[in-house]
Amino acid sequence: MGFLRLEHIYQSFGGVGFIHDISLDVSRGEILCLLGPSGSGKTTLLRIISGIEQPDRGRVISQGRDITLLAPHLRNFGMMFQDFALFPHLDVYGNVAFGLELKGLRRDAIKTRVSEMLRLVGLKGFDRRNVSELSGGERQRVALARSIAPGPGLVMLDEPLGALDRSLRERLMIDLRNILKSMSLSAIFVTHDQSEAFAMADTVAVIHEGAIEQTDSPIDLYRRPKNAFVARFLGFHNLLEARQIKDNVTETPVGLLHMVMPGAGLHETRVILIRPDAARIITDLAQARADESVIRAVTRECLFRGKNYYIRVETDQGISLAFEVRADNPRPEVSRPVLLALDPGGMIIMPDYRT
């Protein structure tokens, strides 16, 4: 059994449904990310797990025990917020010690635990620093130390890196994962940033309009988005309606493609994703492999990105597509024709073909 289980959670506001039949499992030591746009229900779900709010229907189970109606302070869950919520009148030591003092630990035990936590988060020797003198990254580490010092069974993090600049976020997201893993803590964190989700999580649940669209490992989510919403949210834009007209030929708005759509009957429509890395530039039709599809287009944008060029093209049918092509080829010229060979392995059929 998992450490935490949500069973058919529903929540509404003013009679309007907001959280729709959400069920999730979190294993001991697992980091689960709730990923979705603003207003999708991520924070509301976190508040239900913490006990700050109660669901209209459904159960929250922790280690086999129903805690749906249990008060927040009895759940032994830690919480870390985007704004850190540190006590300005307390120094670093006082902030980290706060939860330990509430538990009634002896002074020497508190001192040992605070020292342990500050060393773990890379702030050894910061005990007597005023929190107002700390950088954003240092305050984030103090907030983390405070949330894990009492030894919670689960840590919940609501946009924990959202107040930091990009370079600091990229450095600290790895540190945060390593710290949680070193303590074998179960964790749930909320973010709208897929790079944070992919870097930190063992499992990602994509939430949209109060419902879970897909739950998967980061790599499987990236490789196999379930539907058009998930694909678009992850930054994929090459989504096309497709119709199987022969065993290995599919009709699309950009022409006929060599691909099979398992589960789709003849002339049945599905939505396909052409991955941005599916294309390579060729100069002659003879350069295309037998299993590749070729599309003709005009380059509208070309940006250099180290090993790749990002190109946006407009096909002969007026469809806009975006690709990452290897930069060891000549740079595609804007407003000039281009031939693109598409690898069938880079074309994915959406299992859930809602657009």
Side-chain angles (χ1 to χ4, degrees):
M1 178 177 289
F3 178 83
L4 182 79
R5 171 172 292 177
L6 305 184
E7 295 183 348
H8 306 291
I9 298 294
Y10 288 81
Q11 179 68 291
S12 62
F13 296 101
V16 178
F18 186 59
I19 299 293
H20 309 285
D21 195 16
I22 285 185
S23 295
L24 280 173
D25 283 284
V26 183
S27 301
R28 187 175 297 278
E30 180 181 18
I31 302 175
L32 169 72
C33 170
L34 303 177
L35 174 67
S38 298
S40 60
K42 308 183 299 297
T43 297
T44 297
L45 192 60
L46 207 65
R47 290 169 64 86
I48 289 172
I49 295 168
S50 70
I52 296 172
E53 293 185 20
Q54 291 180 359
D56 295 336
R57 290 162 52 192
R59 301 196 303 164
V60 181
I61 310 293
S62 179
Q63 302 181 85
R65 178 188 177 201
D66 188 338
I67 63 168
T68 311
L69 302 179
L70 194 66
H73 68 279
L74 297 176
R75 298 191 179 203
N76 192 32
F77 293 168
M79 189 81 176
M80 180 176 165
F81 301 95
Q82 177 178 338
D83 61 0
F84 314 129
L86 299 177
F87 301 116
H89 64 288
L90 297 177
D91 57 17
V92 169
Y93 182 96
N95 270 276
V96 179
F98 181 79
L100 302 171
E101 292 169 348
L102 288 180
K103 293 183 75 172
L105 269 63
R106 296 195 323 271
R107 184 175 298 179
D108 58 340
I110 291 175
K111 184 176 181 180
T112 299
R113 183 65 171 172
V114 170
S115 177
E116 203 175 276
M117 291 298 99
L118 291 180
R119 184 170 60 252
L120 181 67
V121 300
L123 293 178
K124 183 180 178 181
F126 278 61
D127 312 49
R128 298 306 170 191
R129 294 276 191 94
N130 189 312
V131 294
S132 65
E133 299 170 353
L134 303 179
S135 69
E138 289 165 346
R139 289 197 297 271
Q140 187 255 14
R141 291 169 187 269
V142 174
L144 176 62
R146 185 181 64 182
S147 67
I148 63 180
L154 174 77
V155 179
M156 294 174 291
L157 308 103
D158 191 359
E159 299 274 7
L161 307 176
L164 306 176
D165 62 59
R166 168 62 66 178
S167 61
L168 187 55
R169 284 207 307 271
E170 290 176 350
R171 186 164 72 251
L172 290 181
M173 68 177 71
I174 303 302
D175 291 343
L176 185 54
R177 175 179 169 83
N178 290 340
I179 290 167
L180 294 172
K181 285 298 181 182
S182 71
M183 299 184 70
S184 298
L185 281 171
S186 300
I188 300 175
F189 79 98
V190 160
T191 184
H192 63 274
D193 187 321
Q194 71 176 66
S195 64
E196 285 183 20
F198 289 169
M200 289 180 58
D202 299 310
T203 305
V204 179
V206 179
I207 297 183
H208 175 49
E209 295 182 345
I212 293 179
E213 296 286 348
Q214 184 172 354
T215 303
D216 246 320
S217 68
I219 192 166
D220 287 338
L221 184 70
Y222 184 80
R223 287 177 175 171
R224 297 281 171 185
K226 181 181 177 182
N227 58 41
F229 170 80
V230 175
R232 289 193 182 100
F233 188 72
L234 296 179
F236 299 130
H237 302 291
N238 301 335
L239 294 160
L240 303 170
E241 287 198 345
R243 188 166 61 99
Q244 195 89 61
I245 60 172
K246 293 182 183 177
D247 286 346
N248 65 340
V249 179
T250 298
E251 184 181 53
T252 76
V254 298
L256 301 180
L257 303 180
H258 299 304
M259 64 178 299
V260 178
M261 297 199 300
L266 200 62
H267 302 298
E268 198 171 342
T269 300
R270 290 288 187 269
V271 173
I272 65 167
L273 163 66
I274 304 177
R275 297 183 59 83
D277 56 358
R280 64 187 184 93
I281 296 174
I282 58 176
T283 56
D284 188 282
L285 290 174
Q287 295 176 341
R289 301 193 310 264
D291 63 338
E292 288 181 320
S293 305
V294 177
I295 59 175
R296 298 177 182 273
V298 173
T299 303
R300 295 304 183 194
E301 291 180 43
C302 180
L303 301 174
F304 177 61
R305 291 183 173 173
K307 293 182 179 180
N308 298 315
Y309 290 116
Y310 164 84
I311 61 170
R312 185 178 65 82
V313 302
E314 183 179 325
T315 70
D316 286 357
Q317 298 82 5
I319 305 296
S320 179
L321 301 173
F323 296 103
E324 296 272 351
V325 296
R326 292 171 59 94
D328 54 6
N329 292 315
R331 183 184 181 107
E333 294 184 43
V334 175
S335 300
R336 296 296 300 274
V338 63
L339 279 179
L340 297 168
L342 303 181
D343 180 355
M347 293 185 279
I348 300 169
I349 300 92
M350 301 283 103
D352 176 354
Y353 54 90
R354 291 173 293 151
T355 56

